Amino acid sequence: MRNSFYLSPVALLIRFLILALVVYLLFFRKRRKPRHRAFNPEGEKPHSKNPYDILGVQKGSSQEDIKKAYRKALSSYHPDKVEHLGEDIQALAKERTKEIMDAYKSLAR
């Protein structure tokens, strides 16, 4: 009769591998700096000054579509979302947010 706490060698190996993976992920894996998807690495402006291009809508779009695109663009470039990424990115975020707001004002009727 086996002990109630007996584990087969396969079960022990599986538990050891899981433990080793957890230790590796917690302590030995190199951590990458987070990059915000809204900015390209060169810091260049990705859009032209055309309000339709800035908001990513086509000419003749409804006010509802323009408003949705404005909210989506503003949420991805908002300075509060990138405050942990440094002053350079914050400055770009503020500039881009201003462009988005100006584009929306020019398209809002």
Side-chain angles (χ1 to χ4, degrees), residues 11-34:
L12 285 174
L13 179 64
I14 291 173
R15 287 183 181 205
F16 174 76
L17 291 175
I18 291 172
L19 179 64
L21 179 64
V22 168
V23 169
Y24 168 75
L25 291 176
L26 289 176
F27 298 109
F28 296 106
R29 188 177 68 167
K30 292 183 180 179
R31 291 185 173 58
R32 298 180 185 173
K33 286 186 176 181

PDB file of all heavy atoms in Angstrom, residues 11-34:
ATOM      1  N   ALA A  11       5.371  12.954 -11.877  1.00  0.00           N
ATOM      2  CA  ALA A  11       4.718  14.092 -11.234  1.00  0.00           C
ATOM      3  C   ALA A  11       5.744  14.993 -10.555  1.00  0.00           C
ATOM      4  O   ALA A  11       5.638  16.223 -10.595  1.00  0.00           O
ATOM      5  CB  ALA A  11       3.683  13.596 -10.227  1.00  0.00           C
ATOM      6  N   LEU A  12       6.755  14.383  -9.936  1.00  0.00           N
ATOM      7  CA  LEU A  12       7.815  15.177  -9.313  1.00  0.00           C
ATOM      8  C   LEU A  12       8.588  15.981 -10.357  1.00  0.00           C
ATOM      9  O   LEU A  12       8.926  17.148 -10.141  1.00  0.00           O
ATOM     10  CB  LEU A  12       8.767  14.272  -8.530  1.00  0.00           C
ATOM     11  CG  LEU A  12       8.246  13.739  -7.210  1.00  0.00           C
ATOM     12  CD1 LEU A  12       9.232  12.736  -6.628  1.00  0.00           C
ATOM     13  CD2 LEU A  12       8.013  14.876  -6.239  1.00  0.00           C
ATOM     14  N   LEU A  13       8.868  15.380 -11.486  1.00  0.00           N
ATOM     15  CA  LEU A  13       9.583  16.066 -12.559  1.00  0.00           C
ATOM     16  C   LEU A  13       8.767  17.236 -13.097  1.00  0.00           C
ATOM     17  O   LEU A  13       9.297  18.326 -13.318  1.00  0.00           O
ATOM     18  CB  LEU A  13       9.910  15.079 -13.678  1.00  0.00           C
ATOM     19  CG  LEU A  13      10.649  15.657 -14.879  1.00  0.00           C
ATOM     20  CD1 LEU A  13      12.030  16.150 -14.455  1.00  0.00           C
ATOM     21  CD2 LEU A  13      10.751  14.635 -15.984  1.00  0.00           C
ATOM     22  N   ILE A  14       7.491  17.029 -13.284  1.00  0.00           N
ATOM     23  CA  ILE A  14       6.622  18.099 -13.774  1.00  0.00           C
ATOM     24  C   ILE A  14       6.583  19.252 -12.782  1.00  0.00           C
ATOM     25  O   ILE A  14       6.706  20.422 -13.163  1.00  0.00           O
ATOM     26  CB  ILE A  14       5.209  17.556 -14.066  1.00  0.00           C
ATOM     27  CG1 ILE A  14       5.256  16.624 -15.273  1.00  0.00           C
ATOM     28  CG2 ILE A  14       4.216  18.692 -14.290  1.00  0.00           C
ATOM     29  CD1 ILE A  14       3.966  15.896 -15.551  1.00  0.00           C
ATOM     30  N   ARG A  15       6.440  18.958 -11.506  1.00  0.00           N
ATOM     31  CA  ARG A  15       6.432  20.020 -10.491  1.00  0.00           C
ATOM     32  C   ARG A  15       7.759  20.762 -10.445  1.00  0.00           C
ATOM     33  O   ARG A  15       7.802  21.968 -10.294  1.00  0.00           O
ATOM     34  CB  ARG A  15       6.093  19.443  -9.131  1.00  0.00           C
ATOM     35  CG  ARG A  15       4.645  19.061  -9.019  1.00  0.00           C
ATOM     36  CD  ARG A  15       4.305  18.566  -7.660  1.00  0.00           C
ATOM     37  NE  ARG A  15       2.894  18.205  -7.648  1.00  0.00           N
ATOM     38  CZ  ARG A  15       2.164  18.186  -6.573  1.00  0.00           C
ATOM     39  NH1 ARG A  15       2.690  18.466  -5.406  1.00  0.00           N
ATOM     40  NH2 ARG A  15       0.896  17.850  -6.636  1.00  0.00           N
ATOM     41  N   PHE A  16       8.868  20.044 -10.594  1.00  0.00           N
ATOM     42  CA  PHE A  16      10.179  20.683 -10.603  1.00  0.00           C
ATOM     43  C   PHE A  16      10.320  21.611 -11.803  1.00  0.00           C
ATOM     44  O   PHE A  16      10.829  22.725 -11.688  1.00  0.00           O
ATOM     45  CB  PHE A  16      11.289  19.628 -10.610  1.00  0.00           C
ATOM     46  CG  PHE A  16      12.649  20.220 -10.763  1.00  0.00           C
ATOM     47  CD1 PHE A  16      13.275  20.851  -9.701  1.00  0.00           C
ATOM     48  CD2 PHE A  16      13.301  20.174 -11.986  1.00  0.00           C
ATOM     49  CE1 PHE A  16      14.523  21.419  -9.841  1.00  0.00           C
ATOM     50  CE2 PHE A  16      14.553  20.734 -12.138  1.00  0.00           C
ATOM     51  CZ  PHE A  16      15.164  21.366 -11.064  1.00  0.00           C
ATOM     52  N   LEU A  17       9.892  21.175 -12.975  1.00  0.00           N
ATOM     53  CA  LEU A  17       9.984  22.004 -14.175  1.00  0.00           C
ATOM     54  C   LEU A  17       9.127  23.258 -14.060  1.00  0.00           C
ATOM     55  O   LEU A  17       9.537  24.340 -14.488  1.00  0.00           O
ATOM     56  CB  LEU A  17       9.594  21.186 -15.409  1.00  0.00           C
ATOM     57  CG  LEU A  17      10.583  20.086 -15.797  1.00  0.00           C
ATOM     58  CD1 LEU A  17      10.025  19.281 -16.958  1.00  0.00           C
ATOM     59  CD2 LEU A  17      11.936  20.660 -16.138  1.00  0.00           C
ATOM     60  N   ILE A  18       7.960  23.135 -13.503  1.00  0.00           N
ATOM     61  CA  ILE A  18       7.094  24.304 -13.300  1.00  0.00           C
ATOM     62  C   ILE A  18       7.745  25.278 -12.333  1.00  0.00           C
ATOM     63  O   ILE A  18       7.767  26.486 -12.567  1.00  0.00           O
ATOM     64  CB  ILE A  18       5.695  23.868 -12.817  1.00  0.00           C
ATOM     65  CG1 ILE A  18       4.958  23.145 -13.926  1.00  0.00           C
ATOM     66  CG2 ILE A  18       4.897  25.070 -12.327  1.00  0.00           C
ATOM     67  CD1 ILE A  18       3.651  22.505 -13.502  1.00  0.00           C
ATOM     68  N   LEU A  19       8.309  24.776 -11.263  1.00  0.00           N
ATOM     69  CA  LEU A  19       8.994  25.630 -10.295  1.00  0.00           C
ATOM     70  C   LEU A  19      10.198  26.321 -10.921  1.00  0.00           C
ATOM     71  O   LEU A  19      10.423  27.517 -10.713  1.00  0.00           O
ATOM     72  CB  LEU A  19       9.420  24.805  -9.077  1.00  0.00           C
ATOM     73  CG  LEU A  19      10.162  25.567  -7.985  1.00  0.00           C
ATOM     74  CD1 LEU A  19       9.253  26.619  -7.365  1.00  0.00           C
ATOM     75  CD2 LEU A  19      10.675  24.612  -6.931  1.00  0.00           C
ATOM     76  N   ALA A  20      10.970  25.589 -11.727  1.00  0.00           N
ATOM     77  CA  ALA A  20      12.129  26.176 -12.394  1.00  0.00           C
ATOM     78  C   ALA A  20      11.700  27.278 -13.366  1.00  0.00           C
ATOM     79  O   ALA A  20      12.338  28.334 -13.458  1.00  0.00           O
ATOM     80  CB  ALA A  20      12.912  25.092 -13.125  1.00  0.00           C
ATOM     81  N   LEU A  21      10.605  27.067 -14.080  1.00  0.00           N
ATOM     82  CA  LEU A  21      10.097  28.081 -15.003  1.00  0.00           C
ATOM     83  C   LEU A  21       9.662  29.338 -14.261  1.00  0.00           C
ATOM     84  O   LEU A  21       9.956  30.451 -14.680  1.00  0.00           O
ATOM     85  CB  LEU A  21       8.939  27.510 -15.820  1.00  0.00           C
ATOM     86  CG  LEU A  21       8.284  28.460 -16.813  1.00  0.00           C
ATOM     87  CD1 LEU A  21       9.267  28.864 -17.901  1.00  0.00           C
ATOM     88  CD2 LEU A  21       7.052  27.824 -17.414  1.00  0.00           C
ATOM     89  N   VAL A  22       8.983  29.185 -13.158  1.00  0.00           N
ATOM     90  CA  VAL A  22       8.534  30.328 -12.369  1.00  0.00           C
ATOM     91  C   VAL A  22       9.731  31.109 -11.832  1.00  0.00           C
ATOM     92  O   VAL A  22       9.768  32.344 -11.900  1.00  0.00           O
ATOM     93  CB  VAL A  22       7.609  29.857 -11.215  1.00  0.00           C
ATOM     94  CG1 VAL A  22       7.362  30.977 -10.221  1.00  0.00           C
ATOM     95  CG2 VAL A  22       6.303  29.334 -11.772  1.00  0.00           C
ATOM     96  N   VAL A  23      10.738  30.408 -11.326  1.00  0.00           N
ATOM     97  CA  VAL A  23      11.942  31.086 -10.818  1.00  0.00           C
ATOM     98  C   VAL A  23      12.639  31.836 -11.941  1.00  0.00           C
ATOM     99  O   VAL A  23      13.068  32.978 -11.775  1.00  0.00           O
ATOM    100  CB  VAL A  23      12.888  30.062 -10.147  1.00  0.00           C
ATOM    101  CG1 VAL A  23      14.245  30.675  -9.860  1.00  0.00           C
ATOM    102  CG2 VAL A  23      12.271  29.530  -8.871  1.00  0.00           C
ATOM    103  N   TYR A  24      12.744  31.222 -13.120  1.00  0.00           N
ATOM    104  CA  TYR A  24      13.363  31.888 -14.259  1.00  0.00           C
ATOM    105  C   TYR A  24      12.599  33.150 -14.644  1.00  0.00           C
ATOM    106  O   TYR A  24      13.185  34.208 -14.854  1.00  0.00           O
ATOM    107  CB  TYR A  24      13.429  30.942 -15.460  1.00  0.00           C
ATOM    108  CG  TYR A  24      13.797  31.641 -16.740  1.00  0.00           C
ATOM    109  CD1 TYR A  24      15.095  32.038 -16.981  1.00  0.00           C
ATOM    110  CD2 TYR A  24      12.824  31.924 -17.699  1.00  0.00           C
ATOM    111  CE1 TYR A  24      15.431  32.703 -18.156  1.00  0.00           C
ATOM    112  CE2 TYR A  24      13.145  32.576 -18.868  1.00  0.00           C
ATOM    113  CZ  TYR A  24      14.455  32.975 -19.086  1.00  0.00           C
ATOM    114  OH  TYR A  24      14.770  33.640 -20.231  1.00  0.00           O
ATOM    115  N   LEU A  25      11.285  33.053 -14.746  1.00  0.00           N
ATOM    116  CA  LEU A  25      10.484  34.206 -15.156  1.00  0.00           C
ATOM    117  C   LEU A  25      10.550  35.331 -14.137  1.00  0.00           C
ATOM    118  O   LEU A  25      10.522  36.505 -14.503  1.00  0.00           O
ATOM    119  CB  LEU A  25       9.034  33.786 -15.389  1.00  0.00           C
ATOM    120  CG  LEU A  25       8.797  32.886 -16.604  1.00  0.00           C
ATOM    121  CD1 LEU A  25       7.341  32.459 -16.658  1.00  0.00           C
ATOM    122  CD2 LEU A  25       9.197  33.579 -17.882  1.00  0.00           C
ATOM    123  N   LEU A  26      10.625  34.997 -12.877  1.00  0.00           N
ATOM    124  CA  LEU A  26      10.647  36.026 -11.845  1.00  0.00           C
ATOM    125  C   LEU A  26      12.011  36.679 -11.672  1.00  0.00           C
ATOM    126  O   LEU A  26      12.097  37.884 -11.424  1.00  0.00           O
ATOM    127  CB  LEU A  26      10.189  35.450 -10.511  1.00  0.00           C
ATOM    128  CG  LEU A  26       8.717  35.108 -10.393  1.00  0.00           C
ATOM    129  CD1 LEU A  26       8.447  34.453  -9.048  1.00  0.00           C
ATOM    130  CD2 LEU A  26       7.862  36.348 -10.556  1.00  0.00           C
ATOM    131  N   PHE A  27      13.087  35.929 -11.808  1.00  0.00           N
ATOM    132  CA  PHE A  27      14.384  36.448 -11.413  1.00  0.00           C
ATOM    133  C   PHE A  27      15.414  36.583 -12.524  1.00  0.00           C
ATOM    134  O   PHE A  27      16.299  37.428 -12.441  1.00  0.00           O
ATOM    135  CB  PHE A  27      14.983  35.574 -10.306  1.00  0.00           C
ATOM    136  CG  PHE A  27      14.152  35.563  -9.064  1.00  0.00           C
ATOM    137  CD1 PHE A  27      13.447  34.435  -8.704  1.00  0.00           C
ATOM    138  CD2 PHE A  27      14.060  36.686  -8.260  1.00  0.00           C
ATOM    139  CE1 PHE A  27      12.673  34.414  -7.557  1.00  0.00           C
ATOM    140  CE2 PHE A  27      13.289  36.677  -7.119  1.00  0.00           C
ATOM    141  CZ  PHE A  27      12.603  35.541  -6.760  1.00  0.00           C
ATOM    142  N   PHE A  28      15.354  35.780 -13.553  1.00  0.00           N
ATOM    143  CA  PHE A  28      16.442  35.756 -14.515  1.00  0.00           C
ATOM    144  C   PHE A  28      16.106  36.302 -15.896  1.00  0.00           C
ATOM    145  O   PHE A  28      17.000  36.543 -16.690  1.00  0.00           O
ATOM    146  CB  PHE A  28      16.974  34.329 -14.663  1.00  0.00           C
ATOM    147  CG  PHE A  28      17.580  33.817 -13.400  1.00  0.00           C
ATOM    148  CD1 PHE A  28      16.918  32.879 -12.636  1.00  0.00           C
ATOM    149  CD2 PHE A  28      18.796  34.296 -12.962  1.00  0.00           C
ATOM    150  CE1 PHE A  28      17.464  32.410 -11.459  1.00  0.00           C
ATOM    151  CE2 PHE A  28      19.354  33.843 -11.785  1.00  0.00           C
ATOM    152  CZ  PHE A  28      18.688  32.894 -11.026  1.00  0.00           C
ATOM    153  N   ARG A  29      14.869  36.490 -16.204  1.00  0.00           N
ATOM    154  CA  ARG A  29      14.501  37.014 -17.511  1.00  0.00           C
ATOM    155  C   ARG A  29      14.793  38.499 -17.571  1.00  0.00           C
ATOM    156  O   ARG A  29      14.505  39.241 -16.642  1.00  0.00           O
ATOM    157  CB  ARG A  29      13.016  36.769 -17.787  1.00  0.00           C
ATOM    158  CG  ARG A  29      12.622  37.119 -19.207  1.00  0.00           C
ATOM    159  CD  ARG A  29      11.205  36.804 -19.432  1.00  0.00           C
ATOM    160  NE  ARG A  29      10.392  37.727 -18.641  1.00  0.00           N
ATOM    161  CZ  ARG A  29       9.102  37.890 -18.795  1.00  0.00           C
ATOM    162  NH1 ARG A  29       8.469  37.186 -19.663  1.00  0.00           N
ATOM    163  NH2 ARG A  29       8.446  38.740 -18.059  1.00  0.00           N
ATOM    164  N   LYS A  30      15.372  38.957 -18.662  1.00  0.00           N
ATOM    165  CA  LYS A  30      15.657  40.380 -18.823  1.00  0.00           C
ATOM    166  C   LYS A  30      14.354  41.117 -19.064  1.00  0.00           C
ATOM    167  O   LYS A  30      13.516  40.713 -19.858  1.00  0.00           O
ATOM    168  CB  LYS A  30      16.602  40.612 -19.999  1.00  0.00           C
ATOM    169  CG  LYS A  30      17.978  40.076 -19.749  1.00  0.00           C
ATOM    170  CD  LYS A  30      18.886  40.402 -20.905  1.00  0.00           C
ATOM    171  CE  LYS A  30      20.277  39.874 -20.650  1.00  0.00           C
ATOM    172  NZ  LYS A  30      21.182  40.156 -21.759  1.00  0.00           N
ATOM    173  N   ARG A  31      14.224  42.217 -18.373  1.00  0.00           N
ATOM    174  CA  ARG A  31      13.016  43.013 -18.532  1.00  0.00           C
ATOM    175  C   ARG A  31      13.244  44.061 -19.616  1.00  0.00           C
ATOM    176  O   ARG A  31      14.266  44.710 -19.648  1.00  0.00           O
ATOM    177  CB  ARG A  31      12.644  43.669 -17.216  1.00  0.00           C
ATOM    178  CG  ARG A  31      12.178  42.626 -16.224  1.00  0.00           C
ATOM    179  CD  ARG A  31      11.691  43.230 -14.955  1.00  0.00           C
ATOM    180  NE  ARG A  31      11.088  42.308 -14.032  1.00  0.00           N
ATOM    181  CZ  ARG A  31      11.648  41.241 -13.505  1.00  0.00           C
ATOM    182  NH1 ARG A  31      12.845  40.905 -13.848  1.00  0.00           N
ATOM    183  NH2 ARG A  31      11.014  40.491 -12.636  1.00  0.00           N
ATOM    184  N   ARG A  32      12.264  44.213 -20.468  1.00  0.00           N
ATOM    185  CA  ARG A  32      12.354  45.193 -21.541  1.00  0.00           C
ATOM    186  C   ARG A  32      11.691  46.479 -21.114  1.00  0.00           C
ATOM    187  O   ARG A  32      10.748  46.478 -20.328  1.00  0.00           O
ATOM    188  CB  ARG A  32      11.652  44.668 -22.783  1.00  0.00           C
ATOM    189  CG  ARG A  32      12.266  43.432 -23.313  1.00  0.00           C
ATOM    190  CD  ARG A  32      11.514  42.973 -24.527  1.00  0.00           C
ATOM    191  NE  ARG A  32      12.032  41.698 -24.976  1.00  0.00           N
ATOM    192  CZ  ARG A  32      11.491  40.999 -25.927  1.00  0.00           C
ATOM    193  NH1 ARG A  32      10.427  41.425 -26.546  1.00  0.00           N
ATOM    194  NH2 ARG A  32      12.019  39.844 -26.292  1.00  0.00           N
ATOM    195  N   LYS A  33      12.185  47.577 -21.662  1.00  0.00           N
ATOM    196  CA  LYS A  33      11.541  48.854 -21.408  1.00  0.00           C
ATOM    197  C   LYS A  33      10.221  48.881 -22.165  1.00  0.00           C
ATOM    198  O   LYS A  33      10.154  48.490 -23.326  1.00  0.00           O
ATOM    199  CB  LYS A  33      12.412  50.013 -21.893  1.00  0.00           C
ATOM    200  CG  LYS A  33      13.594  50.272 -21.026  1.00  0.00           C
ATOM    201  CD  LYS A  33      14.292  51.522 -21.497  1.00  0.00           C
ATOM    202  CE  LYS A  33      15.428  51.875 -20.580  1.00  0.00           C
ATOM    203  NZ  LYS A  33      16.091  53.102 -21.018  1.00  0.00           N
ATOM    204  N   PRO A  34       9.165  49.352 -21.522  1.00  0.00           N
ATOM    205  CA  PRO A  34       7.887  49.417 -22.239  1.00  0.00           C
ATOM    206  C   PRO A  34       7.938  50.500 -23.311  1.00  0.00           C
ATOM    207  O   PRO A  34       8.498  51.569 -23.103  1.00  0.00           O
ATOM    208  CB  PRO A  34       6.885  49.773 -21.140  1.00  0.00           C
ATOM    209  CG  PRO A  34       7.688  50.395 -20.078  1.00  0.00           C
ATOM    210  CD  PRO A  34       9.050  49.796 -20.156  1.00  0.00           C
TER     211      PRO A  34
END
